[in-house]
């Protein structure tokens, strides 16, 4: 069964209750860093120092692209690939030559 929040599912179209592709990539990377599913929202809220409502808007798709400073903070704290989160491409600095 396909995950409705996966990046491939997101490309088919978004609904009002579905996070944007950028947020899906962010969530996928947080999961790979060991953040449990039930801790995703609190992790984003606490790390970015944003309200519950702001974090909720990321998950519902109301916020298509979160502010750059917030994405950068998450990327720094959790060692995430910000280029991949934003563009869907690997960061050339991290790719083997």
């Amino acid at each position: 069964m396909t995950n409705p929040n996966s990046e491939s599912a997101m490309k088919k179209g978004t609904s009002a209750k579905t996070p944007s592709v950028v947020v899906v990539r962010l969530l996928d990377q947080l999961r790979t860093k060991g953040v449990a599913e039930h801790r995703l929202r609190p992790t984003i809220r606490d790390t970015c120092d944003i309200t519950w409502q702001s974090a909720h808007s990321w998950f519902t798709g109301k916020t298509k692209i979160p502010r750059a400073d917030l994405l950068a903070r998450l990327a720094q704290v959790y060692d995430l690939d910000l280029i991949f989160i934003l563009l869907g491409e690997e960061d050339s600095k991290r790719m083997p030559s």
Side-chain angles (χ1 to χ4, degrees):
M1 187 168 168
T2 304
N3 178 353
N5 292 332
S6 71
E7 187 174 344
S8 61
M10 294 301 308
K11 289 181 181 177
K12 294 179 183 175
T14 58
S15 70
K17 298 293 182 184
T18 307
S20 69
V21 173
V22 170
V23 174
V24 168
R25 288 185 200 127
L26 169 67
L27 297 176
D28 287 346
Q29 285 211 353
L30 285 170
R31 288 180 191 107
T32 64
K33 295 296 181 172
V35 178
E37 194 70 29
H38 72 281
R39 293 291 309 155
L40 290 171
R41 286 181 200 222
T43 296
I44 289 170
R45 276 195 332 261
D46 296 344
T47 304
C48 296
D49 193 28
I50 59 175
T51 65
W52 179 92
Q53 293 87 349
S54 292
H56 180 72
S57 70
W58 292 24
F59 283 80
T60 61
K62 185 175 180 182
T63 298
K64 299 299 180 201
I65 301 176
R67 288 187 358 223
D69 61 316
L70 300 179
L71 290 174
R73 186 180 310 165
L74 284 161
Q76 182 179 23
V77 170
Y78 290 96
D79 191 31
L80 307 177
D81 186 342
L82 188 56
I83 300 300
F84 176 75
I85 291 169
L86 290 170
L87 305 176
E89 300 172 2
E90 296 294 327
D91 184 345
S92 61
K93 293 182 285 188
R94 294 186 185 190
M95 293 183 68
S97 48

Coordinates of all heavy atoms in Angstrom, one line a residue:
M1 N 0.8 -1.2 0.0 CA 0.0 0.0 0.0 C 0.9 1.2 0.0 O 1.8 1.3 0.7 CB -0.9 0.0 1.2 CG -1.9 1.1 1.3 SD -3.1 0.7 2.6 CE -3.9 2.2 2.6
T2 N 0.6 2.2 -0.8 CA 1.4 3.4 -0.9 C 1.0 4.4 0.2 O -0.1 4.6 0.5 CB 1.1 4.1 -2.3 OG1 1.3 3.2 -3.3 CG2 1.9 5.3 -2.5
N3 N 2.1 5.0 0.7 CA 1.9 6.0 1.8 C 1.3 7.3 1.1 O 1.9 7.8 0.2 CB 3.3 6.3 2.4 CG 3.2 7.4 3.4 OD1 2.2 8.0 3.7 ND2 4.3 7.6 4.1
P4 N 0.1 7.7 1.6 CA -0.5 8.9 1.0 C 0.3 10.2 1.2 O 0.1 11.1 0.5 CB -1.8 9.0 1.7 CG -1.7 8.2 2.9 CD -0.6 7.2 2.7
N5 N 1.3 10.1 2.1 CA 2.1 11.3 2.3 C 3.5 11.2 1.7 O 4.3 12.0 1.9 CB 2.3 11.6 3.8 CG 1.0 12.0 4.5 OD1 0.2 12.6 3.8 ND2 0.8 11.7 5.7
S6 N 3.7 10.2 0.8 CA 5.0 10.0 0.2 C 5.1 11.1 -0.9 O 4.2 11.6 -1.4 CB 5.1 8.6 -0.4 OG 4.3 8.5 -1.5
E7 N 6.4 11.3 -1.3 CA 6.6 12.3 -2.3 C 5.9 12.0 -3.6 O 5.4 12.9 -4.3 CB 8.1 12.5 -2.5 CG 8.4 13.7 -3.5 CD 9.9 13.9 -3.6 OE1 10.7 13.5 -2.7 OE2 10.3 14.6 -4.5
S8 N 5.9 10.7 -4.0 CA 5.3 10.3 -5.3 C 3.8 10.6 -5.2 O 3.2 11.0 -6.2 CB 5.6 8.9 -5.7 OG 5.1 8.0 -4.6
A9 N 3.2 10.3 -4.1 CA 1.8 10.6 -4.0 C 1.5 12.1 -4.0 O 0.5 12.5 -4.5 CB 1.2 10.0 -2.6
M10 N 2.4 12.9 -3.5 CA 2.2 14.3 -3.5 C 2.2 14.9 -4.9 O 1.6 15.9 -5.2 CB 3.3 15.0 -2.6 CG 3.3 14.7 -1.2 SD 1.7 15.1 -0.4 CE 1.6 16.8 -0.9
K11 N 3.1 14.3 -5.8 CA 3.2 14.8 -7.1 C 1.9 14.7 -7.9 O 1.6 15.4 -8.9 CB 4.3 14.2 -7.9 CG 5.7 14.6 -7.3 CD 6.8 13.9 -8.1 CE 8.1 14.4 -7.5 NZ 9.2 13.7 -8.2
K12 N 1.0 13.7 -7.5 CA -0.2 13.5 -8.2 C -1.3 14.6 -7.9 O -2.3 14.6 -8.6 CB -0.8 12.1 -7.8 CG 0.1 11.0 -8.3 CD -0.4 9.7 -7.9 CE 0.5 8.6 -8.3 NZ 0.1 7.3 -7.9
G13 N -1.0 15.4 -6.9 CA -2.0 16.4 -6.5 C -2.1 16.5 -5.0 O -1.9 15.6 -4.3
T14 N -2.4 17.7 -4.6 CA -2.5 17.9 -3.1 C -3.9 18.3 -2.8 O -4.6 18.9 -3.5 CB -1.6 19.1 -2.7 OG1 -1.9 20.2 -3.4 CG2 -0.1 18.7 -2.9
S15 N -4.3 17.9 -1.6 CA -5.6 18.3 -1.1 C -5.4 19.2 0.1 O -4.2 19.5 0.5 CB -6.3 17.0 -0.6 OG -5.7 16.5 0.6
A16 N -6.4 19.8 0.6 CA -6.3 20.7 1.7 C -5.8 20.1 3.0 O -5.3 20.8 3.9 CB -7.7 21.3 2.0
K17 N -5.8 18.8 3.1 CA -5.3 18.1 4.3 C -4.0 17.3 4.1 O -3.6 16.5 4.8 CB -6.4 17.1 4.7 CG -7.7 17.7 5.1 CD -7.6 18.5 6.4 CE -8.9 19.1 6.8 NZ -8.8 20.0 7.9
T18 N -3.3 17.7 3.0 CA -2.1 17.0 2.7 C -0.9 18.0 2.7 O -1.0 19.0 2.1 CB -2.2 16.3 1.3 OG1 -3.4 15.5 1.2 CG2 -1.0 15.5 1.0
P19 N 0.2 17.6 3.3 CA 1.3 18.5 3.4 C 2.0 18.7 2.0 O 1.8 17.8 1.1 CB 2.3 17.9 4.3 CG 1.8 16.5 4.5 CD 0.4 16.4 4.1
S20 N 2.6 19.8 1.8 CA 3.3 20.1 0.5 C 4.5 19.1 0.3 O 4.9 18.4 1.3 CB 3.8 21.5 0.5 OG 4.9 21.7 1.4
V21 N 5.0 19.0 -0.9 CA 6.1 18.2 -1.2 C 7.3 18.5 -0.3 O 8.0 17.7 0.1 CB 6.5 18.2 -2.7 CG1 7.7 17.5 -3.0 CG2 5.3 17.7 -3.6
V22 N 7.5 19.8 -0.1 CA 8.7 20.3 0.7 C 8.5 19.7 2.1 O 9.5 19.2 2.7 CB 8.8 21.8 0.7 CG1 9.8 22.3 1.8 CG2 9.2 22.3 -0.7
V23 N 7.3 19.8 2.7 CA 7.1 19.3 4.0 C 7.2 17.8 4.1 O 7.8 17.2 5.0 CB 5.8 19.8 4.6 CG1 5.4 19.2 5.9 CG2 5.7 21.3 4.7
V24 N 6.7 17.1 3.1 CA 6.8 15.6 3.0 C 8.3 15.2 3.0 O 8.7 14.3 3.7 CB 6.1 15.1 1.8 CG1 6.5 13.6 1.5 CG2 4.6 15.2 1.9
R25 N 9.1 15.9 2.2 CA 10.6 15.6 2.2 C 11.2 15.9 3.6 O 12.0 15.1 4.1 CB 11.3 16.4 1.2 CG 11.0 16.0 -0.3 CD 11.9 16.9 -1.2 NE 11.3 16.8 -2.5 CZ 11.1 17.9 -3.3 NH1 11.3 19.1 -2.8 NH2 10.5 17.8 -4.5
L26 N 10.8 17.0 4.2 CA 11.3 17.3 5.6 C 10.9 16.2 6.5 O 11.7 15.7 7.3 CB 10.7 18.6 6.0 CG 10.9 19.0 7.5 CD1 12.4 19.2 7.8 CD2 10.1 20.2 7.9
L27 N 9.7 15.8 6.5 CA 9.2 14.7 7.4 C 9.9 13.4 7.2 O 10.3 12.7 8.1 CB 7.7 14.5 7.3 CG 6.8 15.8 7.7 CD1 5.3 15.5 7.4 CD2 7.0 16.2 9.1
D28 N 10.1 13.1 5.9 CA 10.8 11.8 5.6 C 12.2 11.9 6.1 O 12.7 10.9 6.7 CB 10.9 11.6 4.1 CG 9.5 11.1 3.5 OD1 8.6 10.7 4.3 OD2 9.4 11.2 2.3
Q29 N 12.9 13.0 6.0 CA 14.3 13.1 6.5 C 14.3 13.1 8.1 O 15.2 12.4 8.6 CB 14.9 14.4 6.0 CG 15.3 14.3 4.6 CD 16.6 15.1 4.2 OE1 17.1 15.8 5.0 NE2 17.0 14.9 3.0
L30 N 13.3 13.7 8.7 CA 13.3 13.6 10.2 C 13.0 12.1 10.6 O 13.6 11.7 11.6 CB 12.1 14.5 10.7 CG 12.4 16.0 10.7 CD1 11.2 16.8 11.0 CD2 13.6 16.3 11.7
R31 N 12.2 11.4 9.9 CA 12.0 10.0 10.2 C 13.3 9.2 10.1 O 13.6 8.4 10.9 CB 10.9 9.4 9.3 CG 9.5 9.9 9.6 CD 8.5 9.2 8.7 NE 7.2 9.8 8.8 CZ 6.7 10.6 7.9 NH1 7.3 10.9 6.7 NH2 5.5 11.2 8.1
T32 N 14.1 9.5 9.0 CA 15.3 8.7 8.9 C 16.3 9.1 10.0 O 17.2 8.3 10.2 CB 16.0 9.0 7.5 OG1 16.3 10.4 7.4 CG2 15.1 8.6 6.4
K33 N 16.2 10.2 10.6 CA 17.0 10.6 11.7 C 16.5 10.1 13.0 O 17.1 10.4 14.1 CB 17.2 12.1 11.8 CG 17.9 12.7 10.6 CD 19.3 12.3 10.5 CE 20.0 12.9 9.3 NZ 21.4 12.6 9.3
G34 N 15.4 9.3 13.0 CA 15.0 8.6 14.2 C 13.8 9.3 14.9 O 13.5 8.9 16.0
V35 N 13.3 10.4 14.4 CA 12.2 11.1 15.0 C 10.9 10.2 14.8 O 10.5 9.9 13.7 CB 12.0 12.5 14.5 CG1 10.7 13.1 15.1 CG2 13.2 13.3 14.7
A36 N 10.3 9.8 15.9 CA 9.1 8.9 15.8 C 7.9 9.7 15.2 O 7.9 10.9 15.4 CB 8.8 8.4 17.2
E37 N 7.1 9.0 14.6 CA 5.9 9.5 13.9 C 5.1 10.5 14.9 O 4.8 11.6 14.5 CB 5.0 8.4 13.4 CG 4.0 8.9 12.4 CD 4.5 9.3 11.1 OE1 5.6 8.8 10.7 OE2 3.9 10.2 10.5
H38 N 4.9 10.0 16.1 CA 4.1 10.8 17.0 C 4.9 12.0 17.6 O 4.3 12.9 18.2 CB 3.6 10.0 18.2 CG 4.6 9.5 19.1 ND1 5.5 8.5 18.9 CD2 5.0 10.0 20.4 CE1 6.3 8.4 19.9 NE2 6.0 9.3 20.8
R39 N 6.2 12.1 17.3 CA 7.0 13.2 17.7 C 7.3 14.3 16.6 O 7.9 15.3 16.9 CB 8.3 12.7 18.3 CG 8.2 11.9 19.6 CD 7.8 12.7 20.8 NE 8.6 13.9 21.0 CZ 8.2 15.0 21.6 NH1 7.0 15.1 22.1 NH2 9.0 16.0 21.7
L40 N 6.8 14.1 15.4 CA 7.1 15.0 14.3 C 6.6 16.4 14.6 O 7.4 17.4 14.5 CB 6.5 14.4 13.0 CG 7.2 13.2 12.4 CD1 6.5 12.6 11.3 CD2 8.7 13.5 12.1
R41 N 5.3 16.5 14.9 CA 4.8 17.9 15.2 C 5.5 18.6 16.4 O 5.9 19.7 16.3 CB 3.3 17.9 15.4 CG 2.5 17.6 14.1 CD 1.1 17.7 14.3 NE 0.4 17.0 13.2 CZ -0.7 17.4 12.7 NH1 -1.3 18.5 13.1 NH2 -1.3 16.8 11.7
P42 N 5.6 17.9 17.5 CA 6.3 18.5 18.7 C 7.7 18.9 18.3 O 8.2 19.9 18.8 CB 6.2 17.5 19.8 CG 5.0 16.6 19.4 CD 5.0 16.6 17.9
T43 N 8.4 18.0 17.6 CA 9.8 18.3 17.2 C 9.9 19.6 16.4 O 10.7 20.4 16.6 CB 10.4 17.1 16.4 OG1 10.4 16.0 17.3 CG2 11.7 17.4 15.9
I44 N 9.0 19.7 15.4 CA 9.0 20.9 14.6 C 8.6 22.2 15.4 O 9.3 23.2 15.4 CB 8.0 20.8 13.4 CG1 8.6 19.8 12.4 CG2 7.7 22.1 12.7 CD1 7.7 19.3 11.3
R45 N 7.6 22.0 16.2 CA 7.1 23.1 17.1 C 8.3 23.6 18.0 O 8.6 24.8 18.1 CB 6.0 22.7 18.0 CG 4.6 22.9 17.3 CD 3.5 22.8 18.4 NE 3.8 22.0 19.6 CZ 3.4 20.8 19.8 NH1 2.7 20.1 18.9 NH2 3.6 20.2 20.9
D46 N 8.9 22.6 18.7 CA 9.9 23.0 19.7 C 11.2 23.5 19.0 O 11.8 24.5 19.5 CB 10.3 21.8 20.5 CG 9.1 21.3 21.4 OD1 8.1 22.1 21.5 OD2 9.1 20.2 21.9
T47 N 11.6 22.9 18.0 CA 12.9 23.3 17.3 C 12.7 24.7 16.6 O 13.6 25.5 16.7 CB 13.3 22.3 16.2 OG1 13.4 21.0 16.8 CG2 14.6 22.6 15.6
C48 N 11.6 24.9 16.0 CA 11.3 26.2 15.3 C 10.7 27.2 16.2 O 10.6 28.4 15.8 CB 10.4 25.9 14.1 SG 11.2 24.9 12.9
D49 N 10.3 26.9 17.4 CA 9.7 27.8 18.4 C 8.5 28.5 17.7 O 8.4 29.7 17.7 CB 10.7 28.8 18.9 CG 10.2 29.6 20.1 OD1 9.3 29.1 20.8 OD2 10.5 30.8 20.2
I50 N 7.6 27.6 17.2 CA 6.4 28.1 16.6 C 5.2 27.5 17.3 O 5.3 26.6 18.1 CB 6.3 27.7 15.0 CG1 6.3 26.2 14.9 CG2 7.4 28.4 14.3 CD1 6.2 25.7 13.4
T51 N 4.0 28.1 17.0 CA 2.8 27.7 17.7 C 2.3 26.3 17.2 O 2.7 25.9 16.1 CB 1.7 28.7 17.5 OG1 1.3 28.8 16.2 CG2 2.1 30.1 18.1
W52 N 1.4 25.7 17.9 CA 0.7 24.5 17.5 C 0.0 24.8 16.1 O 0.1 24.0 15.2 CB -0.3 24.1 18.5 CG -1.0 22.8 18.1 CD1 -0.6 21.5 18.4 CD2 -2.2 22.7 17.3 NE1 -1.5 20.7 17.8 CE2 -2.5 21.4 17.2 CE3 -3.0 23.7 16.7 CZ2 -3.6 20.9 16.4 CZ3 -4.1 23.2 16.0 CH2 -4.4 21.9 15.9
Q53 N -0.6 25.9 16.0 CA -1.4 26.2 14.8 C -0.5 26.4 13.6 O -0.8 25.9 12.5 CB -2.2 27.5 15.0 CG -3.3 27.4 16.0 CD -2.9 27.7 17.4 OE1 -1.7 27.8 17.7 NE2 -3.8 27.8 18.3
S54 N 0.7 27.0 13.8 CA 1.7 27.1 12.7 C 2.2 25.7 12.2 O 2.2 25.4 11.0 CB 2.8 28.0 13.1 OG 2.4 29.3 13.3
A55 N 2.5 24.9 13.2 CA 3.0 23.5 12.8 C 1.8 22.8 12.1 O 2.1 22.1 11.2 CB 3.4 22.8 14.1
H56 N 0.6 22.9 12.6 CA -0.5 22.3 12.0 C -0.7 22.7 10.6 O -1.0 21.8 9.7 CB -1.8 22.6 12.8 CG -3.0 22.0 12.3 ND1 -3.3 20.6 12.4 CD2 -4.1 22.5 11.6 CE1 -4.4 20.3 11.8 NE2 -4.9 21.4 11.3
S57 N -0.5 23.9 10.3 CA -0.6 24.4 8.9 C 0.4 23.8 8.0 O 0.2 23.6 6.8 CB -0.5 25.9 8.8 OG 0.8 26.4 9.1
W58 N 1.6 23.4 8.5 CA 2.6 22.6 7.7 C 2.0 21.3 7.3 O 2.2 20.8 6.2 CB 3.9 22.4 8.4 CG 4.7 23.6 8.8 CD1 4.3 24.9 8.9 CD2 6.1 23.6 9.1 NE1 5.3 25.7 9.2 CE2 6.4 25.0 9.3 CE3 7.0 22.6 9.1 CZ2 7.7 25.3 9.6 CZ3 8.3 23.0 9.5 CH2 8.7 24.3 9.7
F59 N 1.4 20.6 8.2 CA 0.9 19.3 8.0 C -0.4 19.2 7.2 O -0.7 18.2 6.6 CB 0.6 18.6 9.4 CG 1.9 18.1 10.0 CD1 2.7 19.0 10.7 CD2 2.3 16.8 10.0 CE1 3.8 18.6 11.4 CE2 3.4 16.3 10.6 CZ 4.2 17.3 11.3
T60 N -1.2 20.3 7.1 CA -2.4 20.3 6.4 C -2.2 20.8 5.0 O -3.1 20.8 4.1 CB -3.5 21.1 7.1 OG1 -3.0 22.5 7.2 CG2 -3.8 20.5 8.4
G61 N -1.1 21.4 4.7 CA -0.8 22.0 3.4 C -1.2 23.4 3.2 O -1.0 24.0 2.2
K62 N -1.7 24.0 4.3 CA -2.0 25.4 4.3 C -0.7 26.2 4.1 O -0.7 27.2 3.3 CB -2.7 25.9 5.6 CG -3.1 27.3 5.6 CD -3.9 27.6 6.8 CE -4.3 29.1 6.8 NZ -5.1 29.5 8.0
T63 N 0.4 25.8 4.7 CA 1.7 26.4 4.5 C 2.4 25.5 3.4 O 2.7 24.4 3.7 CB 2.6 26.4 5.8 OG1 1.9 27.3 6.7 CG2 4.0 27.0 5.5
K64 N 2.6 26.1 2.2 CA 3.2 25.3 1.1 C 4.7 25.1 1.3 O 5.3 24.0 1.2 CB 3.0 25.9 -0.2 CG 1.5 26.0 -0.6 CD 0.9 24.7 -0.7 CE -0.6 24.8 -1.0 NZ -1.4 23.6 -0.7
I65 N 5.4 26.2 1.6 CA 6.8 26.2 1.9 C 7.1 27.0 3.2 O 6.9 28.2 3.3 CB 7.6 26.8 0.7 CG1 7.4 26.1 -0.6 CG2 9.1 26.8 1.1 CD1 8.1 26.7 -1.8
P66 N 7.5 26.2 4.2 CA 7.8 26.9 5.5 C 8.9 28.0 5.3 O 9.7 27.9 4.4 CB 8.2 25.8 6.4 CG 7.6 24.6 5.8 CD 7.6 24.8 4.3
R67 N 9.0 28.9 6.2 CA 10.0 30.0 6.1 C 11.4 29.3 6.1 O 11.7 28.4 6.7 CB 9.9 30.9 7.3 CG 8.7 31.8 7.3 CD 8.7 32.8 8.4 NE 9.8 32.7 9.4 CZ 9.6 32.9 10.7 NH1 8.4 33.1 11.2 NH2 10.7 32.8 11.5
A68 N 12.3 30.0 5.3 CA 13.6 29.5 5.1 C 14.4 29.3 6.4 O 15.1 28.4 6.6 CB 14.4 30.4 4.1
D69 N 14.3 30.3 7.3 CA 15.0 30.3 8.5 C 14.6 29.1 9.4 O 15.4 28.5 10.1 CB 14.9 31.6 9.3 CG 13.5 31.9 9.7 OD1 12.6 31.8 8.9 OD2 13.3 32.3 10.9
L70 N 13.3 28.7 9.3 CA 12.8 27.6 10.1 C 13.3 26.3 9.5 O 13.8 25.4 10.2 CB 11.3 27.6 10.2 CG 10.7 28.8 10.8 CD1 9.2 28.7 10.8 CD2 11.2 29.0 12.2
L71 N 13.3 26.2 8.2 CA 13.9 25.0 7.5 C 15.4 24.8 7.8 O 15.9 23.7 8.1 CB 13.6 25.0 6.0 CG 12.1 24.8 5.6 CD1 12.0 25.0 4.1 CD2 11.6 23.5 6.0
A72 N 16.1 26.0 7.7 CA 17.5 25.9 8.0 C 17.8 25.5 9.4 O 18.8 24.8 9.7 CB 18.1 27.3 7.7
R73 N 17.0 26.0 10.4 CA 17.2 25.6 11.8 C 17.0 24.1 11.9 O 17.8 23.4 12.6 CB 16.2 26.3 12.7 CG 16.5 26.1 14.2 CD 15.6 26.8 15.1 NE 15.5 28.2 14.7 CZ 14.6 29.0 15.2 NH1 13.6 28.6 16.0 NH2 14.6 30.3 14.9
L74 N 15.9 23.5 11.4 CA 15.7 22.1 11.4 C 16.9 21.3 10.8 O 17.3 20.3 11.3 CB 14.4 21.7 10.8 CG 13.1 22.1 11.6 CD1 11.9 22.1 10.7 CD2 13.0 21.0 12.7
A75 N 17.3 21.8 9.6 CA 18.4 21.1 8.9 C 19.7 21.1 9.7 O 20.4 20.1 9.8 CB 18.6 21.8 7.5
Q76 N 19.9 22.2 10.4 CA 21.1 22.3 11.2 C 21.1 21.4 12.4 O 22.0 20.7 12.7 CB 21.4 23.8 11.7 CG 22.6 24.0 12.5 CD 22.9 25.4 12.9 OE1 21.9 26.2 12.9 NE2 24.1 25.8 13.1
V77 N 20.0 21.5 13.1 CA 19.8 20.7 14.4 C 19.8 19.2 14.1 O 20.4 18.4 14.8 CB 18.5 21.1 15.1 CG1 18.2 20.2 16.3 CG2 18.6 22.6 15.6
Y78 N 19.2 18.8 13.0 CA 19.0 17.3 12.7 C 19.9 16.9 11.6 O 19.8 15.7 11.2 CB 17.5 17.0 12.5 CG 16.7 17.1 13.7 CD1 16.0 18.3 14.0 CD2 16.7 16.1 14.6 CE1 15.3 18.4 15.2 CE2 16.0 16.2 15.8 CZ 15.3 17.4 16.1 OH 14.6 17.5 17.2
D79 N 20.8 17.7 11.1 CA 21.8 17.4 10.1 C 21.0 16.8 8.8 O 21.2 15.7 8.3 CB 22.8 16.3 10.5 CG 23.9 16.1 9.5 OD1 24.2 17.1 8.8 OD2 24.4 15.0 9.4
L80 N 20.0 17.6 8.4 CA 19.2 17.3 7.2 C 19.8 18.0 6.0 O 20.5 19.0 6.0 CB 17.8 17.8 7.4 CG 17.1 17.3 8.7 CD1 15.7 17.9 8.8 CD2 17.0 15.8 8.8
D81 N 19.5 17.4 4.8 CA 19.9 17.9 3.5 C 18.9 19.0 3.1 O 17.9 18.6 2.5 CB 20.0 16.8 2.5 CG 20.6 17.2 1.2 OD1 20.7 18.4 0.9 OD2 21.1 16.3 0.5
L82 N 19.2 20.3 3.3 CA 18.3 21.3 3.0 C 18.0 21.4 1.5 O 16.9 21.7 1.0 CB 18.8 22.7 3.6 CG 17.8 23.8 3.5 CD1 16.5 23.5 4.1 CD2 18.5 25.1 4.1
I83 N 19.0 21.2 0.7 CA 18.9 21.3 -0.8 C 17.9 20.2 -1.2 O 17.0 20.5 -2.0 CB 20.2 21.0 -1.5 CG1 21.2 22.1 -1.1 CG2 20.0 21.0 -3.0 CD1 20.8 23.5 -1.5
F84 N 18.0 19.0 -0.7 CA 17.0 18.0 -1.0 C 15.6 18.3 -0.6 O 14.6 18.1 -1.3 CB 17.4 16.6 -0.4 CG 16.4 15.6 -0.7 CD1 16.3 15.0 -2.0 CD2 15.5 15.1 0.3 CE1 15.3 14.0 -2.2 CE2 14.6 14.2 0.0 CZ 14.5 13.6 -1.2
I85 N 15.5 18.9 0.6 CA 14.2 19.2 1.1 C 13.5 20.2 0.2 O 12.3 20.1 -0.1 CB 14.3 19.8 2.6 CG1 14.7 18.6 3.5 CG2 12.9 20.4 3.0 CD1 15.0 19.1 4.9
L86 N 14.2 21.2 -0.2 CA 13.7 22.3 -1.0 C 13.5 21.9 -2.5 O 12.5 22.3 -3.1 CB 14.5 23.6 -0.9 CG 14.5 24.3 0.4 CD1 15.5 25.3 0.5 CD2 13.1 24.8 0.7
L87 N 14.5 21.2 -3.1 CA 14.5 21.0 -4.5 C 14.3 19.6 -4.9 O 14.1 19.3 -6.1 CB 15.8 21.5 -5.1 CG 16.2 23.0 -4.8 CD1 17.6 23.3 -5.4 CD2 15.1 23.9 -5.4
G88 N 14.5 18.6 -4.0 CA 14.4 17.2 -4.3 C 15.6 16.7 -5.0 O 15.6 15.6 -5.5
E89 N 16.7 17.4 -4.9 CA 18.0 17.0 -5.4 C 19.0 16.9 -4.3 O 19.0 17.6 -3.3 CB 18.5 18.1 -6.4 CG 17.5 18.3 -7.6 CD 18.0 19.5 -8.4 OE1 19.0 20.1 -8.2 OE2 17.2 19.8 -9.4
E90 N 19.9 15.9 -4.5 CA 21.0 15.8 -3.5 C 21.9 17.0 -3.5 O 22.2 17.6 -4.5 CB 21.8 14.5 -3.8 CG 21.0 13.2 -3.7 CD 20.5 12.9 -2.3 OE1 21.2 13.2 -1.3 OE2 19.4 12.4 -2.2
D91 N 22.4 17.3 -2.3 CA 23.3 18.4 -2.2 C 24.7 17.9 -2.8 O 25.2 16.9 -2.4 CB 23.5 18.7 -0.7 CG 24.4 19.9 -0.4 OD1 25.1 20.3 -1.3 OD2 24.4 20.3 0.7
S92 N 25.1 18.7 -3.8 CA 26.4 18.3 -4.5 C 27.6 18.2 -3.6 O 28.5 17.4 -3.9 CB 26.6 19.3 -5.7 OG 26.8 20.6 -5.1
K93 N 27.6 18.9 -2.5 CA 28.7 18.9 -1.6 C 28.8 17.5 -0.8 O 29.8 17.1 -0.4 CB 28.6 20.0 -0.5 CG 28.8 21.4 -1.2 CD 28.7 22.4 -0.1 CE 27.3 22.6 0.3 NZ 27.1 23.7 1.2
R94 N 27.6 16.9 -0.7 CA 27.6 15.6 0.0 C 27.7 14.4 -0.9 O 27.9 13.3 -0.4 CB 26.3 15.5 0.8 CG 26.2 16.6 1.9 CD 25.0 16.3 2.7 NE 24.9 17.4 3.7 CZ 24.0 17.4 4.6 NH1 23.2 16.5 4.8 NH2 24.0 18.5 5.5
M95 N 27.6 14.6 -2.2 CA 27.7 13.5 -3.1 C 29.2 13.1 -3.3 O 30.0 14.0 -3.4 CB 27.0 13.8 -4.4 CG 25.5 14.0 -4.3 SD 24.7 14.3 -5.9 CE 25.0 12.7 -6.6
P96 N 29.5 11.8 -3.4 CA 30.9 11.4 -3.6 C 31.3 11.8 -5.0 O 30.5 11.8 -5.9 CB 30.8 9.9 -3.5 CG 29.4 9.5 -3.5 CD 28.6 10.7 -3.2
S97 N 32.6 12.2 -5.1 CA 33.1 12.6 -6.4 C 33.7 11.5 -7.2 O 33.9 10.4 -6.8 CB 34.1 13.7 -6.2 OG 35.1 13.4 -5.2

